[in-house]
Each structure stands twice: as C-alpha cells, then as structure tokens.
Amino acid sequence: MKKEKTFVILKPDAVQRSLMGEIIHRLERTGLKFIAFKFIVPTKEQCYSHYNKDDKWFLEKGTRVLNDRQTKGLPIDKTATEYGKEINEGNVRLLTSGPVLLIVLEGNQAAGIVRKIVGGTEPLTSDVGTIRGDLTIDSYMLAGTDGRAVRNLIHCSESAEEAEREIPIWFKKEELMDYRLLNEAILYDVNLDGILE
Ligand code: ADP
C-alpha cells in the first residue's frame, strides 16, 4: 500500500497559464512523495498509447456532443462514435501542442487521493476546492461543439492499476526515484502517543 503509485500530467493549458507551481503545491501538501518529473513535448504515439479509450467511451462522450449540437442548432454530420473519437483526437492535439510536465507520485492510496484533489472532468461540476473546480471554467458544451478537448489542466490516473499501465509509456524504470521522505515517518513510524514529555 505504502508504495502505491499514481501518474499525473500537467497539460499544456496548465503550463501556458503558469499554474504549475500552484498545482504542484496542492499535490505536495497532501504528503504524497514525488518520485519522478519530466518536462517534454509528447509524441503522438505516446498520447495514443496513453489515451487508449474504447468504443464505450467514444459512444458516451460522442452522444453528449451530439445532444449539445442539437441544443445549439448546429449541423450533425457525424455519428456519436465519430464525435467521441474527435474528442480523443482533441486530447492528442492538446497534449502534443506544447510542453507538459509529467509527474509520478507515491504513497498510501496515492491514486484515490490525487483523483480527489484533481476533481471531476468538467469544471462546472468538479467540486469546489479541487484543482479543476477552483482553477478552470471550460465546459463540455464549449469544447465539444468546437471539436476540441475540455481544457481542465491536469490528467491523473483513474486507479493504481491504470497508473501501472500509464507510467511505462512515459518513464523508464530507472527514472523513478527510490528514497524516503522524512514526512513518511509521521505516518508509518512515529508513535504520536509518546511526543509529550
Ligand atoms: P478524466 O481526465 O477526468 O479522467 P476522461 O479520461 O474521461 O476524463 O477524458 C480524458 C480527457 O478528455 C478529459 O480530461 C478532457 O480533457 C477530455 N474530455 C472528456 N470528455 C469530454 C467531452 N465531453 N468534451 C470534450 N472533452 C472531453
């Protein structure tokens, strides 16, 4: 459990909006340990391996776009699945558009903790206090009808298993640091019953 890893990408919109420090600060103060950083412009191949979305995802996302286009009175010239695939293309386009910061964090329940503070996908419904809820205003309606991905600053792994799949796409094993944070002693070693003299 202590060694659970999760993977984060600060997307180009986070870099362009000078929000890297703010987001790193929010991640760091959880007490999780940073074990890798990398600042790169991703390749298309890396992005397609990373976003390995399936037909269910395309259909679900595309149906929303279709409904939004209907609401806005825009022409519908694709199937729901095709609109869903367009979102995935939009994700790849966004990630390859400029530098991103790749981060691996480690610690107890790392994936769930990071997901919680990142917040839900769409800014309007992500909780107050989360990275996406506090710092973004894009919407499915705006992004979907423009044929692009929602700009929500950050990607984080869905689960520890998903992190295990994603991390090797971006990092070599030897790029992950193995060290101990003093902070961890508070959680795992120190008996706080004994601190009063
Ligand atoms: P999350 O990033 O919250 O795990 P997903 O994995 O479902 O969400 O989607 C990946 C990314 O695709 C999202 O972060 C967002 O940028 C984009 N996206 C998801 N759904 C839509 C949508 N309906 N319209 C536009 N972009 C979307």
Side-chain angles (χ1 to χ4, degrees):
M1 253 331 191
K2 289 182 196 178
K3 292 276 184 181
E4 182 174 311
K5 292 184 185 57
T6 195
F7 174 63
V8 163
I9 304 177
L10 303 193
K11 299 181 189 178
D13 48 327
V15 178
Q16 295 303 321
R17 290 184 53 203
S18 304
L19 285 172
M20 284 192 291
E22 164 81 33
I23 296 171
I24 289 169
H25 177 57
R26 285 173 179 235
L27 295 172
E28 187 171 39
R29 68 189 187 188
T30 59
L32 289 171
K33 178 166 62 181
F34 292 105
I35 61 166
F37 281 97
K38 193 182 279 185
F39 196 47
I40 61 162
V41 179
T43 65
K44 276 191 179 173
E45 291 68 32
Q46 284 171 313
C47 297
Y48 281 117
S49 311
H50 174 81
Y51 282 122
N52 69 338
K53 302 297 187 187
D54 57 13
D55 288 342
K56 184 172 167 284
W57 192 92
F58 296 141
L59 185 65
E60 193 183 305
K61 298 290 176 181
T63 302
R64 175 185 277 278
V65 175
L66 229 144
N67 293 338
D68 286 347
R69 293 186 76 86
Q70 234 154 17
T71 307
K72 274 195 164 178
L74 291 170
I76 292 165
D77 44 16
K78 292 190 180 102
T79 63
T81 301
E82 284 169 344
Y83 280 121
K85 285 187 176 163
E86 196 175 84
I87 294 175
N88 200 44
E89 296 296 317
N91 275 325
V92 175
R93 227 174 29 249
L94 176 63
L95 281 198
T96 53
S97 69
V100 302
L101 187 64
L102 311 172
I103 303 174
V104 183
L105 294 107
E106 188 178 80
N108 189 38
Q109 313 268 36
I113 297 282
V114 170
R115 257 203 109 63
K116 180 190 67 173
I117 66 166
V118 163
T121 311
E122 194 194 22
L124 186 64
T125 50
S126 35
D127 286 336
V128 173
T130 62
I131 291 167
R132 287 165 169 175
D134 287 354
L135 306 173
T136 63
I137 57 166
D138 200 6
S139 65
Y140 285 146
M141 175 72 98
L142 193 61
T145 52
D146 280 352
R148 60 171 177 78
V150 165
R151 290 179 188 145
N152 56 12
L153 301 174
I154 179 167
H155 159 82
C156 68
S157 308
E158 187 82 40
S159 61
E161 295 69 41
E162 196 56 12
E164 294 299 325
R165 185 192 70 80
E166 291 171 354
I167 293 167
I169 298 170
W170 303 97
F171 287 95
K172 294 187 203 128
K173 232 180 165 162
E174 58 271 24
E175 291 173 326
L176 306 179
M177 303 281 162
D178 190 7
Y179 70 103
R180 180 122 162 118
L181 213 54
L182 276 178
N183 210 356
E184 291 173 85
I186 309 269
L187 194 57
Y188 306 125
D189 304 335
V190 176
N191 178 357
L192 293 177
D193 292 343
I195 59 170
L196 285 177
E197 294 207 18

